[in-house]
Each structure stands twice: as C-alpha cells, then as structure tokens.
Amino acid sequence: MPVSEKVSKKTRGGLTAGPDAAMCPSRLVLEHVTSRWGVLVLAVLMDGTHRFSEVRRAIGGVSEKMLTQTLQTLERDGFVRREAHPVIPPHVDYSLTELGEEAARRVGALARWTEEKVPEVLAAREAYDAAKAR
Amino acid sequence: MPVSEKVSKKTRGGLTAGPDAAMCPSRLVLEHVTSRWGVLVLAVLMDGTHRFSEVRRAIGGVSEKMLTQTLQTLERDGFVRREAHPVIPPHVDYSLTELGEEAARRVGALARWTEEKVPEVLAAREAYDAAKAR
DNA sequence: CAGCATCCGTGCTGATACTG
DNA sequence: CAGTATCAGCACGGATGCTG
C-alpha cells in the first residue's frame, strides 16, 4: 500500500486550520499533538487542570497568541477541555479529555524516548560532521 | 520542574539545521522524526533498503530537495544509514540503523494510534464547530 | 541517478495594541 | 485575566537549472 497519496500542490499542514485541507487527516492530527507548543501543552496539562496564565508561565517562552492558537486547536480536536467561568475577572480552566490524556501519554513517551537517545544522536552527529569535514 | 527553558528570540526549529541551535536537543530530534517527510521516510525504510528514487516514488509528492534534506538530517542524527556505491550511474542505498528502526516503530505506533482516533477527532471537531456557529 | 545551488512565494511566528 | 486583531520578518518548502 502506498504510504501517502499524491498531493497536487501547496499542501503544507501547520498547526493552524488553513484553507487547504487536502491532506490525510491523521497527519494533521499528528502535527497538532507533536507541534512545538502542542507537546508542551499536553505535558503541562498532564498533571491536572490549569488556568491560561498558569500554562503560559509553566511553558515560558510562548506568546499568548500561539498558546491560544494551540489550545484552540487541541480543544477542537477533542484533546483539551475548556471551562470558562463567567466571573469578573475571567477565569478559564483547561484540562485534558480522556483522548487528550492518552495522547499526552503517548507523545510523552515518545518525547522521553528521544530525550534518552539524545546522547546517541549527538554522537552520531559528531561522527557525521567529522567525516564530512575531511 | 519547568517544562521548557526560556528562549529569548527567534527559536523556531524546523527540519533544517539552522544557525539557531538554542533549543533543547530532544525537541530538535523529535521534530526531525515527526516532521512531514521524516515520518514517511521512516515508514518506507521500515521494510528494508531502498534507493533514493525508490523512496521518492514510494512517498510520492515530495520534492527531491526535501527528500534529500530529510534523508541527510536523519542520517546525521544516526537514524538512517547511507551507502553510496561508486558506480556510474550513481547508486545510493538507504536503510535504517538500529536506532532508526526503533524510532520508526515508535513513530509508526503513534501514527497508527492517531489514525485510529481520527473518527473521534472528526466528531469532536464537528461538535466544536457546531457549538461555535451558534 | 543522485545531489547541490539558487530564487521566490506562502504562511507561520511572534510583538504590539486593543476589547470584554 | 483571557482573549482578539493586525502587522512585519523570515523560515520553510517547492521549482528550476546545473554538476559528477
């Protein structure tokens, strides 16, 4: 079976839900959960419910725009549950759904694996660069 | 524990080995193996050794530039083994290393999981969009 | 056949300013 | 506090042409 389907033109899939939906859905979902901030959001929400600003601080280095975008995408995909309490000042809680928890576990496992293999990768890179420099 | 370190400025990490290496290495590696073409390359090489053009055809829809880039990155990271036979016309074989095989298995597992959860995600999206449209 | 060099458009990214 | 809106920069990815 073919690994992918032919995609005629401009079919890059970022985190945002662009107008071009001509890509296998699984790739989209995969990119959402493995996206730069997606991984971190899932990681943070792993240990329970958090407010917007808490998540922001926990991650540190994410613009509010990207965090909003990431949270919305993950919410839309059914990974994150959003609860807005109608008070002033606003108070919004984010947590993982069942699906989100499983996603977080799996992505987290992959992340931990890569982390533990980093030494090997670094060694491989050195060897590669050394061989190439010659 | 903090999930990430502060990153001062312009710290996006794509597949290319940009001049900006100011990001935790594990994220870089993760992005390499979960990148658009990285996933597909690993998947294709799962079933053995293949030539450049074979991989290209098997994936279908990847420019040679991106394939080259992806293969080089994965080779540098120690996931892919490259064997160039000094003949004319050139003949280059690509295969997975031990590390690459494990990466392929893990990424493949995640990919298959997302694939099987696509229906749930799609349903969640419909619900989300419906709720928002009102 | 395999790979490199170059140019260029798309759109993601993040800073800033504003609203409820 | 939790977003939305707008804008500029630049990285990503694709197309093309050339080399060994």
Side-chain angles (χ1 to χ4, degrees):
Chain A
M1 82 182 192
V3 177
S4 79
E5 56 239 79
K6 294 258 187 196
V7 279
S8 54
K9 273 192 177 182
K10 52 177 201 164
T11 312
R12 281 176 51 235
L15 188 149
T16 55
D20 184 19
M23 189 160 50
C24 49
S26 59
R27 265 219 65 75
L28 254 349
V29 177
L30 188 64
E31 294 201 348
H32 290 174
V33 296
T34 62
S35 73
R36 172 123 196 248
W37 306 116
V39 182
L40 299 175
V41 165
L42 291 177
V44 169
L45 293 184
M46 270 281 266
D47 61 56
T49 299
H50 288 286
R51 302 185 54 175
F52 184 88
S53 46
E54 287 175 350
V55 177
R56 187 149 146 67
R57 263 194 309 278
I59 292 183
V62 58
S63 69
E64 81 199 28
K65 176 190 165 185
M66 289 317 296
L67 183 56
T68 300
Q69 220 172 83
T70 304
L71 283 169
Q72 284 177 350
T73 302
L74 292 179
E75 183 197 357
R76 193 170 105 99
D77 284 0
F79 294 118
V80 164
R81 174 171 28 244
R82 192 192 109 116
E83 276 160 316
H85 303 93
V87 297
I88 293 178
H91 184 119
V92 182
D93 282 326
Y94 289 95
S95 56
L96 293 180
T97 62
E98 277 296 311
L99 192 63
E101 281 189 31
E102 197 176 344
R105 272 196 302 274
R106 293 180 180 261
V107 172
L110 184 59
R112 256 176 284 112
W113 179 79
T114 60
E115 217 159 321
E116 107 190 5
K117 293 301 183 185
V118 159
E120 287 187 46
V121 171
L122 258 38
R125 283 189 199 165
E126 261 187 77
Y128 180 91
D129 292 343
K132 160 159 293 187
R134 186 168 329 140
Chain B
M1 83 182 190
V3 177
S4 78
E5 55 240 77
K6 293 258 185 196
V7 279
S8 55
K9 273 191 175 183
K10 51 175 196 161
T11 313
R12 282 177 52 236
L15 187 148
T16 55
D20 183 21
M23 189 160 50
C24 49
S26 61
R27 265 218 66 73
L28 253 351
V29 177
L30 188 64
E31 294 202 348
H32 290 175
V33 296
T34 64
S35 72
R36 172 123 196 249
W37 306 117
V39 183
L40 298 175
V41 166
L42 291 178
V44 169
L45 293 185
M46 271 280 266
D47 61 56
T49 300
H50 288 287
R51 301 185 53 173
F52 183 88
S53 46
E54 287 175 351
V55 177
R56 186 149 148 68
R57 263 194 309 277
I59 292 183
V62 58
S63 68
E64 83 197 28
K65 175 190 169 186
M66 290 316 298
L67 183 56
T68 300
Q69 221 172 81
T70 304
L71 284 170
Q72 285 177 348
T73 302
L74 293 179
E75 184 196 358
R76 194 171 105 100
D77 284 1
F79 294 118
V80 164
R81 174 172 29 243
R82 193 193 109 115
E83 276 160 317
H85 303 93
V87 298
I88 294 178
H91 184 119
V92 182
D93 282 326
Y94 290 96
S95 56
L96 292 181
T97 62
E98 277 298 309
L99 190 63
E101 280 189 32
E102 197 176 345
R105 272 196 302 274
R106 293 182 180 260
V107 171
L110 183 60
R112 255 175 284 113
W113 179 80
T114 60
E115 217 160 319
E116 108 191 4
K117 293 301 183 186
V118 159
E120 287 187 45
V121 171
L122 258 36
R125 282 190 199 165
E126 260 187 78
Y128 180 91
D129 293 342
K132 160 160 292 187
R134 186 167 328 140

